[in-house]
Amino acid sequence: MDTKSRIMEEAFKLFLKKGFADVSLSEIMKAADITTGGFYYHFDSKDTLLVKVIEKYIFDYFSSVINQIRNCTGTPKEKLKTMILSIVGDDATINACTQLCQGSERIDYRTLHLLLFEGVQKYEIISQHYTEFYYNLLNLITDVLDEGKAKGCIRKDVDSTEIATVIQTTMVGTVLMWIGIPEMPLEVRMNSNIDHLWDYISK
């Protein structure tokens, strides 16, 4: 692994464990086994590093999920569930090794989403990425719903864009509830919400 990638991966692990604000540059440099000069050769600040980390380990992953769903097989409902649980995390990935990191450390999805929200609030470039991602996601959900209408498993009178917005809002709300009240597994909540929405829109 090259030095820049090692810095980003070690920083990502530390950000997940402690949050962005509580991780010092010295901790990052120690974890990546580099000097101060080595750090500043690749990044001009910790803020710049955070932006690059969130772009690489979160948004690139989310984009890959969207591309995979566009090419996957299954019923529209199966596609919808796969897409949502791949993005927000499910019981099989929460506190387990994921594609988001090359190392063997476990990732808590609560801290991942909190890190993303922290970045969105503080950095305009991350907020722009977040907005772009959710528009892409909205379009994909709309396409899946249109497919369901074409196949006759969703009512023709359903406004696909409107329901896609409801689904997206439900995703975000469910994640926020789970962050605050983690006792009920996220996958259980999300599956239940999708099932109720599907009952409403299906024939």
Side-chain angles (χ1 to χ4, degrees):
M1 182 186 300
D2 62 71
T3 302
K4 185 175 183 179
S5 297
R6 187 171 73 251
I7 295 170
M8 292 176 66
E9 182 170 310
E10 295 300 332
F12 180 55
K13 296 173 189 175
L14 288 169
F15 292 154
L16 286 171
K17 290 176 183 176
K18 302 178 66 173
F20 176 68
D22 292 332
V23 176
S24 67
L25 266 181
S26 60
E27 287 179 283
I28 294 170
M29 290 185 288
K30 181 178 179 181
D33 192 25
I34 57 166
T35 63
T36 301
F39 176 84
Y40 284 108
Y41 178 80
H42 296 285
F43 303 97
D44 59 20
S45 68
K46 192 176 80 166
D47 283 4
T48 300
L49 173 62
L50 174 68
V51 171
K52 294 300 182 184
V53 164
I54 288 181
E55 286 177 345
K56 178 178 180 179
Y57 290 108
I58 300 180
F59 287 116
D60 284 358
Y61 171 70
F62 286 170
S63 295
S64 72
V65 169
I66 288 179
N67 290 332
Q68 289 169 19
I69 294 299
R70 287 196 183 279
N71 298 316
C72 78
T73 58
T75 67
K77 184 178 181 181
E78 289 169 345
K79 287 183 180 180
L80 191 63
K81 284 193 173 186
T82 299
M83 173 189 2
I84 292 172
L85 293 174
S86 295
I87 290 170
V88 304
D90 59 26
D91 296 341
T93 54
I94 292 168
N95 291 322
C97 299
T98 75
Q99 301 176 48
L100 298 177
C101 196
Q102 294 178 11
S104 59
E105 286 76 4
R106 294 177 180 274
I107 293 174
D108 185 334
Y109 263 61
R110 281 184 293 274
T111 57
L112 185 148
H113 286 290
L114 286 171
L115 181 65
L116 176 57
F117 293 148
E118 181 181 357
V120 167
Q121 290 177 340
K122 188 171 182 180
Y123 302 98
E124 179 63 27
I125 185 64
I126 295 177
S127 179
Q128 291 173 5
H129 279 302
Y130 189 77
T131 300
E132 180 183 354
F133 162 71
Y134 268 98
Y135 274 118
N136 289 336
L137 180 62
L138 181 67
N139 290 334
L140 178 56
I141 295 172
T142 302
D143 289 345
V144 171
L145 295 174
D146 284 339
E147 178 188 345
K149 290 166 71 173
K151 290 184 174 180
C153 53
I154 293 178
R155 300 195 325 264
K156 295 291 186 183
D157 64 311
V158 166
D159 184 319
S160 297
T161 302
E162 181 179 321
I163 296 299
T165 302
V166 171
I167 291 171
Q168 203 169 50
T169 303
T170 300
M171 285 175 61
V172 176
T174 303
V175 169
L176 290 173
M177 286 183 64
W178 167 68
I179 289 172
I181 311 170
E183 288 76 17
M184 182 184 292
L186 178 60
E187 185 176 5
V188 172
R189 287 182 178 176
M190 197 64 76
N191 272 317
S192 176
N193 289 337
I194 296 170
D195 287 339
H196 284 302
L197 282 167
W198 195 264
D199 287 344
Y200 171 73
I201 65 176
S202 62
K203 288 189 173 181

